Amino acid sequence: MKYINANTILPDALIEELQEYVQAGYIYIPAKDEQHKSWGELSGYRKELYERNEIIIKKYKNGVSIEELAEEYYLSVYAIRKIIYQK
């Protein structure tokens, strides 16, 4: 998230009103509910993890051991078990 100087986007009257509450600080303005994106949606990381996990499950069903999967994907045995047994 990058910071934007309020002077460049907000009208003077609104800046003066905001200064009644905060001066020289940071304010987080959340997205509207209908515009909110879930974790990983914008970057595509959620989809990437889903696809990786599907491959892990498929390999496990084809006989690859949990220990081998943990080593291959640099994850703990516990993490691999969580992925496999989530479905």
Side-chain angles (χ1 to χ4, degrees):
M1 173 188 331
K2 68 178 188 171
Y3 295 100
I4 301 170
N5 186 327
N7 289 320
T8 62
I9 60 169
L10 299 176
D12 291 339
L14 182 53
I15 291 173
E16 287 177 22
E17 181 69 24
L18 288 170
Q19 286 172 332
E20 295 295 320
Y21 301 93
V22 177
Q23 289 190 25
Y26 298 108
I27 299 175
Y28 172 73
I29 302 172
K32 294 180 179 178
D33 285 341
E34 63 271 7
Q35 294 177 333
H36 180 74
K37 302 286 184 195
S38 297
W39 174 87
E41 261 187 303
L42 290 176
S43 68
Y45 192 60
R46 174 175 277 195
K47 181 180 178 198
E48 191 177 317
L49 283 179
Y50 175 81
E51 290 169 355
R52 181 206 64 186
N53 292 350
E54 290 296 310
I55 292 169
I56 288 171
I57 292 167
K58 191 177 290 185
K59 285 182 175 185
Y60 176 74
K61 287 180 179 178
N62 287 327
V64 179
S65 74
I66 290 175
E67 290 76 14
E68 290 172 314
L69 291 168
E71 193 171 312
E72 180 180 346
Y73 288 95
Y74 303 99
L75 296 170
S76 69
V77 170
Y78 174 76
I80 295 293
R81 281 190 183 124
K82 244 174 103 171
I83 291 167
I84 291 169
Y85 300 124
Q86 72 184 348
K87 293 186 176 194

